[in-house]
Amino acid sequence: KRVLAAGVLLWSLFTALTPEAAALGTAPLLAARVLLGVGEGIAFPAIHSMIARNVPPASQSTAVGVVTAASYAGTALAFGVSPYIISEFGWPWVFYSFAACALLWLPLWVPTAVSNAPLPRPPTRKDSTAVLPDTIDAEGVSLGGSSGTQYYSAASSNDPSSSGGSELGSASTGGLRALFSRRELWAICVAQYCQSWGMYGLLNWLPTFFKDFYKVEIADLAAYTLLPYIVQGGLGAASGVLADRLIASGWGIRSVRVPL
């Protein structure tokens, strides 16, 4: 909870500073955008960690889908109102306006109750690959063994005599080397890179394309640039609901979530 709040404050601060940084030159602008990205980079890991700790496993895919849809809805909102802000007040006010949104969000977020204890995840026998052996995540730790897959949850972590406790300790001391040796991590990085390539291409290129090629006025750009984000948001929400329904019907977790 605190990590997410810190990330929002960081990226909001450097969003507000972007016009001034641009006026100072290329290096300050790049520094401001990098620090903005550092703040933004905190958001999804923190949100997914809170989902793992606060949303029942049967609804977690839906929760992730809703978060994904909300991120695209925010992008669509930005494209919808930014042309008006630019035409009426000038481009710096786009950055000031969206940075100020943190001041409206923070008072609502601070009193929100968020649990830090991971929810126990019941084992599934439908798919032997539903949980990867020796994987440590925010929901618990899956421990591989000769007798099959065992689950280490918050309940067993409080028992020092638990056999899982020692394995957790040894697994968690691997540091970054152990983390970067996971093929799951590299799969996530590749998927994120490919998704971001397309998304940021749309963010940077689509408004310019309509303005330069079709001579669309800035104030009218919203009607031409919203559709990709509306479609992406709708698909994100629908995919989460579909994933939870398939898992509830007996499909394996991995066999559902990886293709989606």
Side-chain angles (χ1 to χ4, degrees), residues 50-250:
M50 286 186 290
I51 288 174
R53 289 168 164 81
N54 294 272
V55 178
S59 301
Q60 287 180 357
S61 296
T62 299
V64 172
V66 169
V67 170
T68 301
S71 68
Y72 288 119
T75 304
L77 175 64
F79 272 103
V81 302
S82 293
Y84 172 78
I85 295 174
I86 292 172
S87 62
E88 293 294 324
F89 306 103
W91 69 267
W93 280 96
V94 172
F95 294 89
Y96 301 148
S97 300
F98 285 107
C101 289
L103 301 178
L104 302 176
W105 172 81
L106 196 60
L108 301 175
W109 178 245
V110 169
T112 302
V114 176
S115 173
N116 288 323
L119 295 174
R121 175 179 291 281
T124 174
R125 301 296 181 185
K126 296 293 183 180
D127 188 346
S128 61
T129 61
V131 179
L132 299 175
D134 302 318
T135 297
I136 300 176
D137 59 17
E139 299 162 359
V141 179
S142 169
L143 302 172
S146 59
S147 61
T149 301
Q150 302 171 347
Y151 287 79
Y152 183 91
S153 67
S156 62
S157 67
N158 295 325
D159 183 4
S161 64
S162 170
S163 61
S166 60
E167 293 199 38
L168 173 65
S170 61
S172 62
T173 57
L176 291 178
R177 177 177 296 180
L179 177 64
F180 284 107
S181 68
R182 305 294 306 190
R183 63 179 182 178
E184 299 93 327
L185 173 67
W186 292 105
I188 292 171
C189 289
V190 171
Q192 180 64 28
Y193 178 85
C194 295
Q195 186 270 347
S196 296
W197 182 274
M199 180 178 178
Y200 288 106
L202 284 176
L203 286 172
N204 291 312
W205 169 79
L206 194 61
T208 303
F209 171 75
F210 280 112
K211 181 177 180 296
D212 293 346
F213 191 81
Y214 288 108
K215 310 303 180 184
V216 177
E217 296 296 328
I218 290 179
D220 299 326
L221 281 175
Y224 297 89
T225 56
L226 292 180
L227 185 59
Y229 306 103
I230 294 174
V231 172
Q232 287 175 310
L235 287 175
S239 296
V241 175
L242 176 61
D244 278 335
R245 290 186 177 181
L246 290 174
I247 293 170
S249 69

